[in-house]
Amino acid sequence: MKEYDVVIVGGGHNGLVAAAYLAGAGKRVLVLERLEATGGAAVSKRAFTGVDARLSRYSYLVSLLPRKIVDELGLRFAVRRRRISSYTPQGDRGLLVDAGDEARTREQFVRLTGSEREFEAWRRFYAMTGQVARRVFPTLTEPLPTRAELERRVDDRAAWEALFERPLGETVEEVFADDTVRGVVLTDALIGTFTHAHDPSLRQNRCFLYHVIGGGTGDWDVPIGGMGAFTDALADAARAAGAEIVTGAEVTGIATDGAVAEVAYGDGHTVGARDVLVNASPHALAALLGEPSGPKPEGAQLKVNMLLRRLPRLRDAAVDPREAFAGTFHIAEGYGQLQRAYEQAAAGAVPDAPPSEIYCHSLTDPSILSPELAAQGVHTLTLFGLHAPARLFAADPTGVKERLLAATLAQLDAVLAEPIADCLAVDAQGRPCLEAKSPLDLEREVGLPGGHIFHRDLAWPYAPEGASGGGAEGDSAPGGDVTRATGRWGVGTGHANVFLCGAGAVRGGGVSGVPGHNAAMAVLEKTR
Ligand SMILES: Cc1cc2nc3c(=O)[nH]c(=O)nc-3n(C[C@H](O)[C@H](O)[C@H](O)COP(=O)(O)OP(=O)(O)OC[C@H]3O[C@@H](n4cnc5c(N)ncnc54)[C@H](O)[C@@H]3O)c2cc1C
């Protein structure tokens, strides 16, 4: 049996970050990836037959990736800031938020809401989240703070209360009066998270927090070359540092006595490891260890990738489509609409007006298109639909997906001056360039449990009370549940030599590399 210092289960971007750090520190590292390619949910793909457009197939924007990780691993990878942060159409008007022009944004708020009140509220609110971002973001790559330590770091009682203690809906309703503006703010609390503004569990607050602290600014940037450029750079860095990466290698079991482990994969292979890092979800980890896993997480989004012959014209003639589609374009995401769609989906129905947001990568970074496509004016369009929980699809996966897709595109068409279908490019066989993925598709293709894009609901970025925060990573898990331990770095599992290194770790979720970094630090600290 071959022996390694560290075996990493899964070659998603977090597994690759961990591999690059650990191999760089002189460890013998093996990465075992189930799929034929690395990258997990952070990949680029030519999704349409015979069309040379490398779409970021699943995740598409970068915010939570610390510069420190890019620099320390020497990655040749960069992001580009979007000038337009969002556009929200309202019939034949709309709200354009131009990150580079405050006067213009103010004018947009006045045009939509009739006064400067909402703009001033917006400025104050995002100044508050910006301050929290600057204080919280650097802690993500430090040992896990306690709740009290993080609150001291934030050092702003009102902000702490608004973001960490009260359901976000209360704050949004106090601060903003306009339904459209309230909706734009709330969407960041609902991405990949099936919940509502007043959920007493505060999962909406946690989701919101991760959407506004990235990079210490909350900006969502465009990965130049697409998401695949990032994970390819990571795989190169890991290999250059000496890590072995084997694809097409599904791990089927992990046995550990806390000191050494055996990892079974493929058709009867077994390797030995001092430490095992798990980039698969906590739910999958429990199964690999043969331990109880608790309820399965549930994803709640529809993902649609499109290629357009041209950008559609808008009903709002005052805005250039090249600006509107460059930022996050909100559809049917008014505050009241979000609540209604949530209630309908929670009751088991496809929402009448499914909320979604779309964004065009190629306006900011045309390098993902062949020169010919770029010259023809072709553009990519990616749509992320909210409130589409996996349970909706269970009885009739294809039929429900088709109905939801049709209802979602109808909402988009309602704000366009021409149907989106008329703008779709066609592939080599003459089929429209459009693909849609339900949570069930994401589970099957990428292994996301229940299609949950963060592997499970996001956790507060501090040690959970009652868990083993602050102690060694191997401290026992509460209730014997391997999915709930945290340890000093938020990556522990209750087994001294098994660590989470993926989205399901505390401070995981999103394209960040943070849990990969933190799991590597936990191993290096332990073996130093
Ligand atoms: C549609 C969609 C859109 C998103 N948009 C964004 C976005 O714009 N920005 C953002 O920051 N985040 C976004 N996310 C979330 C983000 O992509 C994920 O949270 C992130 O990619 C998780 O990375 P990871 O490396 O931890 O796990 P994953 O990317 O899930 O990788 C895990 C890897 O482990 C492998 N694996 C699993 N089980 C085994 C096994 N038994 N043996 C071997 N290998 C195994 C899987 O095949 C996979 O390659 C999006 C996600 C989705 C699905």
Side-chain angles (χ1 to χ4, degrees):
M1 187 169 67
K2 236 176 146 181
E3 300 280 339
Y4 291 86
D5 294 320
V6 184
V7 170
I8 301 181
V9 180
H13 83 282
N14 276 312
L16 297 173
V17 165
Y21 271 106
L22 290 167
K27 302 282 178 197
R28 284 166 305 147
V29 176
L30 172 68
V31 178
L32 296 171
E33 167 54 49
R34 180 179 71 97
L35 299 173
E36 293 306 324
T38 52
V43 287
S44 297
K45 185 86 187 161
R46 287 182 180 82
F48 306 113
T49 315
V51 183
D52 191 5
R54 295 170 306 284
L55 301 168
S56 298
R57 196 172 213 175
Y58 308 108
S59 54
Y60 46 103
L61 289 170
V62 175
S63 176
L64 290 159
L65 171 68
R67 182 79 233 166
K68 162 187 156 71
I69 292 180
V70 175
D71 291 346
E72 286 177 355
L73 297 181
L75 302 181
R76 254 179 297 157
F77 168 72
V79 294
R80 191 168 290 155
R81 182 81 7 117
R82 297 184 301 172
R83 163 77 190 257
I84 301 298
S85 44
S86 71
Y87 171 70
T88 309
Q90 252 316 316
D92 51 12
R93 293 190 300 161
L95 175 68
L96 188 83
V97 178
D98 182 341
D101 188 342
E102 190 175 290
R104 184 180 185 206
T105 302
R106 176 190 298 269
E107 192 187 298
Q108 287 281 319
F109 272 84
V110 173
R111 188 171 81 114
L112 185 80
T113 66
S115 81
E116 297 205 345
R117 185 199 175 281
E118 292 297 278
F119 177 70
E120 290 305 330
W122 175 279
R123 265 198 352 171
R124 278 196 306 278
F125 182 74
Y126 284 108
M128 178 272 282
T129 63
Q131 175 158 305
V132 171
R134 285 189 292 282
R135 293 171 182 181
V136 172
F137 191 65
T139 70
L140 299 189
T141 44
E142 296 170 3
L144 195 59
T146 64
R147 183 182 163 102
E149 283 164 354
L150 192 68
E151 185 179 351
R152 273 200 296 283
R153 207 65 180 247
V154 168
D155 194 24
D156 180 337
R157 185 63 218 154
W160 182 267
E161 197 184 299
L163 297 177
F164 291 81
E165 291 183 348
R166 297 168 65 202
L168 188 69
E170 291 181 14
T171 305
V172 169
E173 288 167 28
E174 266 166 33
V175 173
F176 302 102
D178 183 85
D179 186 86
T180 301
V181 178
R182 284 179 174 178
V184 173
V185 176
L186 186 66
T187 54
D188 276 338
L190 305 178
I191 297 287
T193 303
F194 187 53
T195 185
H196 61 97
H198 291 279
D199 185 341
S201 78
L202 303 188
R203 85 185 63 178
Q204 74 281 31
N205 291 48
R206 284 176 266 145
C207 180
F208 185 77
L209 189 69
Y210 282 85
H211 279 90
V212 296
I213 59 173
T217 62
D219 285 313
W220 285 83
D221 297 330
V222 177
I224 298 175
M227 272 304 176
F230 174 49
T231 35
D232 288 349
L234 280 173
D236 289 347
R239 282 200 192 91
E244 270 176 60
I245 300 176
V246 182
T247 55
E250 176 161 8
V251 171
T252 51
I254 301 170
T256 178
D257 63 6
V260 287
E262 286 183 13
V263 178
Y265 72 96
D267 295 331
H269 302 282
T270 304
V271 283
R274 185 114 46 92
D275 292 295
V276 180
L277 264 51
V278 179
N279 189 190
S281 69
H283 190 80
L285 166 63
L288 291 173
L289 287 164
E291 295 180 9
S293 63
K296 192 171 169 184
E298 184 184 36
Q301 67 291 317
L302 179 75
K303 166 79 184 187
V304 185
N305 289 312
M306 292 174 257
L307 200 68
L308 306 179
R309 284 186 289 126
R310 61 170 189 282
L311 290 176
R313 284 177 289 113
L314 299 169
R315 275 182 60 193
D316 178 357
V319 174
D320 185 331
R322 283 171 303 182
E323 290 199 308
F325 289 104
T328 300
F329 187 120
H330 298 279
I331 303 157
E333 290 192 328
Y335 196 68
Q337 287 176 308
L338 288 168
Q339 179 62 21
R340 239 180 343 274
Y342 172 77
E343 286 165 11
Q344 290 176 335
V350 170
D352 308 328
S356 68
E357 36 201 78
I358 52 181
Y359 140 77
C360 172
H361 181 112
S362 50
L363 280 166
T364 306
D365 168 34
S367 75
I368 62 167
L369 300 173
S370 68
E372 295 73 33
L373 290 179
Q376 288 161 23
V378 164
H379 279 294
T380 62
L381 204 60
T382 182
L383 178 150
F384 192 98
L386 307 185
H387 293 339
R391 69 189 91 150
L392 289 188
F393 301 85
D396 177 12
T398 311
V400 171
K401 187 165 78 172
E402 278 170 10
R403 268 198 292 136
L404 180 61
L405 177 64
T408 303
L409 295 182
Q411 291 303 311
L412 170 58
D413 281 347
V415 298
L416 302 180
E418 55 185 333
I420 189 73
D422 288 1
C423 302
L424 289 174
V426 291
D427 73 6
Q429 267 120 45
R431 293 171 302 199
C433 292
L434 180 149
E435 62 167 17
K437 311 269 182 203
S438 73
L440 307 191
D441 297 328
L442 295 175
E443 176 161 40
R444 197 183 52 250
E445 291 176 12
V446 198
L448 302 171
H452 200 306
I453 71 167
F454 304 130
H455 290 190
R456 62 171 158 187
D457 287 339
L458 293 164
W460 292 116
Y462 53 70
E465 278 122 42
S468 54
E473 299 297 323
D475 282 357
S476 64
D481 179 353
V482 289
T483 69
R484 285 194 55 220
T486 60
R488 194 173 125 77
W489 286 92
V491 297
T493 64
H495 295 279
N497 63 345
V498 180
F499 306 92
L500 284 170
C501 71
V506 182
R507 309 181 289 185
V511 177
S512 71
V514 165
H517 166 274
N518 291 349
M521 294 309 118
V523 169
L524 293 176
E525 253 180 19
K526 176 185 157 213
T527 53
R528 193 167 286 148

